Amino acid sequence: AQSVTQPDIHITVSEGASLELRCNYSYGATPYLFWYVQSPGQGLQLLLKYFSGDTLVQGIKGFEAEFKRSQSSFNLRKPSVHWSDAAEYFCAVGPGTASKLTFGTGTRLQVTL
Amino acid sequence: DGGITQSPKYLFRKEGQNVTLSCEQNLNHDAMYWYRQDPGQGLRLIYYSQIVNDFQKGDIAEGYSVSREKKESFPLTVTSAQKNPTAFYLCASSAHLPGLAGGTGELFFGEGSRLTVL
């Protein structure tokens, strides 16, 4: 069965510092991978996705993620965090069918000024 | 602007009452989904529909019901049989049906409805 692990429940970074949010997955074939962001009391917004091609993918708001098959990871990065990036971030894995998407439990990002 | 509209944003229910959450989309998407979100947990799929007048149970369908009479609308009813209904409910849609070329499983979400049982 497919699964997603986000090992960090809560991360605090200073504004301007770099950020890396971890995502490890278990999947039997080449997965479709997603990162979503959720502001408090809001729905989820897609940051980026990977399903083939270049393993380094660029997303919105200056985020990027790298697919590493050997490590079963799809970590999210941003070189310089802004206070507005404070939110909860969800990694998801699936076979390319939305009804089979599995979400991680999320990482809450706090940004200090 | 195209998007997904959920209403109400906040809803309070007494025990034993059924409540219906509305979800409307103008993205012309075929597939629609309902998720439940609880603190510290990921999203869990309640029901989904790939076409009008058809829907399938997700992982936690017990105590919930849905209908899909129009492509644009996918209301969720939380029945009195749902033992722990207090949660944040998210409606989503996707452009592609399973198996169609170009489908990636990307979801577009509404802003959610928070249900509290008093």
Side-chain angles (χ1 to χ4, degrees):
Chain A
Q2 64 193 46
S3 65
V4 178
T5 301
Q6 293 182 248
D8 303 306
I9 296 173
H10 186 223
I11 284 182
T12 300
V13 299
S14 300
E15 188 175 40
S18 64
L19 172 70
E20 183 168 26
L21 302 182
R22 296 183 289 165
C23 173
N24 295 100
Y25 67 89
S26 174
Y27 191 76
T30 299
Y32 288 68
L33 292 157
F34 305 83
W35 275 101
Y36 286 88
V37 60
Q38 183 182 33
S39 297
Q42 301 294 313
L44 277 69
Q45 180 184 21
L46 181 70
L47 284 175
L48 48 78
K49 60 188 176 187
Y50 170 82
F51 50 93
S52 67
D54 193 345
T55 56
L56 183 64
V57 293
Q58 303 296 321
I60 62 171
K61 304 184 181 186
F63 286 91
E64 66 177 27
E66 186 171 12
F67 171 59
K68 293 186 177 180
R69 185 189 302 274
S70 61
Q71 298 178 21
S72 297
S73 70
F74 188 56
N75 294 348
L76 182 71
R77 300 194 295 248
K78 187 170 185 178
S80 178
V81 169
H82 188 262
W83 64 266
S84 60
D85 293 325
E88 190 150 22
Y89 292 80
F90 291 91
C91 181
V93 64
T97 299
S99 61
K100 304 297 183 186
L101 203 59
T102 297
F103 286 86
T105 52
T107 297
R108 180 165 299 280
L109 173 65
Q110 182 177 355
V111 180
T112 58
L113 301 177
Chain B
D1 283 339
I4 298 178
T5 302
Q6 290 187 239
S7 63
K9 191 166 180 64
Y10 299 95
L11 186 60
F12 298 89
R13 186 193 96 174
K14 293 182 180 179
E15 285 194 23
Q17 288 182 335
N18 293 354
V19 293
T20 297
L21 307 180
S22 170
C23 178
E24 303 277 333
Q25 56 103 356
N26 60 4
L27 300 168
N28 200 33
H29 286 173
D30 288 301
M32 297 186 73
Y33 310 81
W34 274 104
Y35 287 90
R36 171 178 172 141
Q37 185 178 25
D38 296 282
Q41 300 191 36
L43 277 66
R44 293 183 289 170
L45 183 63
I46 304 173
Y47 268 99
Y48 65 99
S49 169
Q50 298 176 5
I51 197 169
V52 173
N53 293 323
D54 188 38
F55 47 83
Q56 289 76 40
K57 292 181 179 180
D59 301 320
I60 56 165
E62 184 175 351
Y64 300 97
S65 66
V66 293
S67 63
R68 187 86 185 277
E69 297 177 0
K70 299 186 300 182
K71 184 177 183 178
E72 302 80 18
S73 179
F74 191 42
L76 173 74
T77 297
V78 184
T79 75
S80 57
Q82 169 50 237
K83 297 188 185 310
N84 185 21
T86 294
F88 191 56
Y89 292 88
L90 287 159
C91 179
S93 68
S94 63
H96 296 98
L97 296 177
L100 287 183
T104 65
E106 177 181 348
L107 290 165
F108 295 79
F109 286 87
E111 295 198 342
S113 294
R114 184 167 299 281
L115 172 63
T116 302
V117 173
L118 303 174

